[in-house]
Amino acid sequence: MNGGDGGDVAAAPDGPPLPLDWKFSQVFGERTAGEEVQEVDIISAIEFDRSGDHLATGDRGGRVVLFERTDKKEHGGNRRNLEKTDYAISRHPEFRYKTEFQSHEPEFDYLKSLEIEEKINKIRWCQTANGALFLLSTNDKTIKYWKVQEKKIKKIAEMSMEPSKAAGNGNVSSTIVTSTHKPHLANGGYTSLSNDLLFPAGGIPSLRLPVVVTSSETNLVARCRRVYAHAHDYHINSISNNSDGETFISADDLRINLWNLEISNQSFNIVDVKPTNMEDLTEVITSAEFHPNHCHTLAYSSSKGSIRLIDLRQSALCDKHSKLFEEHEAPGSRSFFTEIIASISDIKFGRNGRYLLSRDYMTLKLWDINMDSGPVSTFQVHEHLRPRLCDLYENDSIFDKFECCLSGDGQRVATGSYSNLFRVFGGHAVSTEATTLEASKNPMRRQVQTPSRPSRSLSSITRAVRRGGDNPGVDANGNSFDFTTKLLHLAWHPTENSIACAAANSLYMYYA
């Protein structure tokens, strides 16, 4: 597998590109000062479709919200035109709310006495067809296949239409009203044969029938096409579409299953890391993704910081990997937190599939799948938090799962951090680009002056006293961070320098 002719990290022979100047684009669901965020409204998944014209978000309340792009006319009407234009041109993409639907509901597994949350863990777009949008969404246990399509609205016309006019229009009501071949009773009434209504000749003058007409208005309707359930004993952490357009994978802590989109009652277990004795368990699967071009190749990461590349052509059960990517720790650097911070929370393939990006708690790593000796580049994200690992462990922040993403041309990578910050790095081997932005402030909004008070929990304040009064919200370099606000989910537009990221219940968009 080589890099192909598309723009990926190695396709910049003249050196790294210049750093981008990021600007605020728009925000959806922005909170007012002092507004309390409901738990069910917090965004838990973000995904652009292949064209970048649609964006989907999922939240902890089980809802999926779709947004569509509104500025397409400025630069062509289809994805082919977008790909032909210069990627470096700065645009201001604009999206608007399209529709939303309830994807999952809370459930209870009575056999295991287990409550299943409605929270959307992942969203993946599928191929569009006949103007309809298709996507997969999953919570901890159940995957659903959705079709979103515009339907023309049918309305009931006037109810006071006269039978004579109805007969003249030749519609359905005329066949009901003017039934003249039926036998009549002597008193001028009507009878019924075989449960059929027999109307008198000329119809009933007082009868009023509704007439249904199709208006020019349309309404977006979301319909669940398939439900893929009862295939995972543990929580689903990943779903990924195959490039063949027919299959997808779902992964939990110990297994990866292969599904056909059209078959919901069976799946094939292709990876199983569950030991015979669970006491021998040393690592779990944390993320899995199909190769963007090769339908037989996929990668999955583990809690021990390794990434395995597997080939579905080798065997039905891929218990042996074709390549292993891992970075060996330096001698003498091992500590209590080593294994925890080594766990990979997310992996993403570059657009042409040669490069693979992984995110662990402290760093971003870029891997060349042709070189398994070590990462091509390592980007320090949370190195300033290393002195605080004990505090992070106490408040469980060390187990936060941050996502990562690559630009469509492979020149840059991005991931989130605390205080609703996200960081963008130059993906070129010699690039020094490192930009930090806060996705919780709208520069277009007038800032309200509020009494300043530290946004720290009681436990952090007591730790500050115990440590001699130092400020736990600022590191040695003066970088501020707030563990209670974290930017876990973000996505890069597939063809432009535009990033969508979630800060609690708000969706922020930036462009360069």
Side-chain angles (χ1 to χ4, degrees):
M1 286 176 272
N2 54 34
D5 56 358
D8 217 341
V9 179
D14 298 329
L18 295 175
L20 296 176
D21 180 22
W22 289 93
K23 303 180 182 66
F24 171 82
S25 176
Q26 58 189 141
V27 58
F28 297 94
E30 186 178 27
R31 290 172 290 167
T32 59
E35 179 184 356
E36 185 178 353
V37 178
Q38 300 296 321
E39 182 79 10
V40 295
D41 294 330
I42 296 178
I43 297 174
S44 56
I46 301 178
E47 184 79 4
F48 279 105
D49 72 345
R50 192 174 181 84
S51 68
D53 294 335
H54 293 92
L55 175 67
T57 66
D59 61 27
R60 295 186 182 181
R63 295 182 298 267
V64 172
V65 183
L66 303 185
F67 301 88
E68 66 177 351
R69 188 161 183 170
T70 58
D71 62 322
K72 279 184 60 178
K73 294 181 180 180
E74 298 177 5
H75 52 271
N78 55 40
R79 187 168 64 89
R80 184 173 298 176
N81 290 339
L82 287 174
E83 291 177 348
K84 288 182 178 179
T85 56
D86 185 3
Y87 190 92
I89 294 177
S90 179
R91 301 189 184 96
H92 185 181
E94 293 182 1
F95 284 79
R96 70 179 179 188
Y97 169 86
K98 186 177 180 73
T99 188
E100 68 179 83
F101 56 90
Q102 188 71 32
S103 175
H104 287 72
E105 300 281 357
E107 301 176 40
F108 190 82
D109 187 338
Y110 291 96
L111 292 177
K112 298 181 179 179
S113 297
L114 181 67
E115 186 176 349
I116 303 172
E117 291 183 329
E118 66 271 33
K119 185 188 80 165
I120 305 297
N121 290 341
K122 294 289 181 181
I123 295 175
R124 290 292 181 264
W125 289 91
C126 304
Q127 294 179 353
T128 58
N130 300 324
L133 303 174
F134 295 87
L135 62 156
L136 291 166
S137 62
T138 183
N139 65 350
D140 287 340
K141 294 292 184 180
T142 305
I143 308 162
K144 294 185 178 182
Y145 183 43
W146 291 92
K147 178 181 180 180
V148 182
Q149 190 176 29
E150 287 189 351
K151 295 282 189 180
K152 289 188 176 181
I153 299 176
K154 292 184 177 181
K155 294 183 177 180
I156 296 177
E158 296 182 4
M159 298 283 290
S160 58
M161 183 172 288
E162 294 294 335
S164 58
K165 294 180 181 179
N169 291 336
N171 55 20
V172 178
S173 60
S174 64
T175 62
I176 299 176
V177 175
T178 59
S179 179
T180 58
H181 64 282
K182 302 295 182 179
H184 296 268
L185 297 179
N187 59 3
Y190 58 89
T191 182
S192 61
L193 299 174
S194 303
N195 297 325
D196 290 334
L197 289 175
L198 303 180
F199 292 98
I204 302 175
S206 61
L207 188 62
R208 300 291 181 264
L209 298 176
V211 178
V212 179
V213 295
T214 303
S215 68
S216 59
E217 299 179 30
T218 59
N219 187 25
L220 280 167
V221 178
R223 185 165 65 92
C224 185
R225 292 282 305 275
R226 302 277 189 278
V227 177
Y228 313 91
H230 311 300
H232 287 276
D233 293 330
Y234 304 94
H235 291 176
I236 299 172
N237 56 49
S238 302
I239 52 175
S240 179
N241 303 89
N242 199 348
S243 58
D244 62 10
E246 297 178 358
T247 57
F248 70 95
I249 56 170
S250 59
D252 64 20
D253 291 343
L254 299 179
R255 293 187 176 95
I256 300 177
N257 293 334
L258 178 67
W259 301 82
N260 188 299
L261 281 169
E262 300 301 321
I263 303 172
S264 60
N265 58 359
Q266 69 174 0
S267 63
F268 298 96
N269 178 227
I270 57 175
V271 175
D272 189 349
V273 300
K274 183 177 181 180
T276 305
N277 185 357
M278 285 296 285
E279 293 182 358
D280 299 329
L281 182 67
T282 58
E283 61 182 334
V284 297
I285 299 170
T286 57
S287 182
E289 180 160 310
F290 259 120
H291 191 281
N293 302 321
H294 302 300
C295 60
H296 52 77
T297 303
L298 62 94
Y300 70 91
S301 59
S302 80
S303 58
K304 293 186 76 172
S306 61
I307 302 172
R308 290 172 173 84
L309 205 67
I310 62 175
D311 192 333
L312 296 176
R313 298 172 298 182
Q314 290 182 348
S315 64
L317 182 61
C318 303
D319 51 356
K320 293 183 180 180
H321 52 268
S322 57
K323 285 189 177 180
L324 175 66
F325 305 95
E326 61 182 354
E327 189 174 32
H328 300 286
E329 61 188 59
S333 62
R334 189 170 184 81
S335 69
F336 173 79
F337 304 107
T338 299
E339 288 192 7
I340 300 176
I341 62 176
S343 178
I344 296 175
S345 56
D346 190 27
I347 58 173
K348 293 281 171 48
F349 273 103
R351 191 170 184 177
N352 68 11
R354 177 172 175 176
Y355 291 88
L356 186 63
L357 183 67
S358 67
R359 170 69 205 265
D360 56 48
Y361 189 75
M362 303 297 287
T363 65
L364 270 175
K365 291 185 175 72
L366 191 66
W367 307 81
D368 186 338
I369 64 173
N370 295 332
M371 187 181 72
D372 53 5
S373 58
V376 183
S377 301
T378 299
F379 310 97
Q380 300 296 336
V381 182
H382 280 166
E383 187 61 31
H384 62 281
L385 296 180
R386 192 173 292 276
R388 304 291 183 184
L389 290 179
C390 184
D391 295 340
L392 292 162
Y393 180 78
E394 288 183 18
N395 60 23
D396 289 338
S397 295
I398 200 171
F399 301 106
D400 289 333
K401 301 182 185 302
F402 292 92
E403 294 180 359
C404 59
C405 58
L406 296 93
S407 61
D409 61 359
Q411 298 289 342
R412 293 170 179 86
V413 297
T415 190
S417 181
Y418 294 104
S419 301
N420 289 333
L421 300 176
F422 69 95
R423 305 198 68 190
V424 181
F425 300 93
H428 197 276
V430 295
S431 174
T432 58
E433 179 179 357
T435 307
T436 302
L437 298 100
E438 183 178 358
S440 60
K441 291 183 178 179
N442 178 1
M444 311 301 292
R445 182 191 67 214
R446 180 180 298 175
Q447 298 297 323
V448 179
Q449 296 295 328
T450 55
S452 59
R453 56 183 180 183
S455 55
R456 292 181 289 164
S457 62
L458 181 61
S459 58
S460 65
I461 296 174
T462 56
R463 280 195 295 273
V465 175
R466 188 171 66 245
R467 289 175 176 271
D470 60 336
N471 185 1
V474 179
D475 65 6
N477 298 323
N479 298 316
S480 62
F481 51 88
D482 177 9
F483 298 147
T484 62
T485 57
K486 57 197 75 172
L487 196 150
L488 302 175
H489 312 285
L490 76 170
W492 201 302
H493 191 284
T495 58
E496 297 178 15
N497 285 320
S498 175
I499 293 179
C501 48
N505 67 321
S506 302
L507 177 67
Y508 287 85
M509 305 196 72
Y510 289 79
Y511 76 103

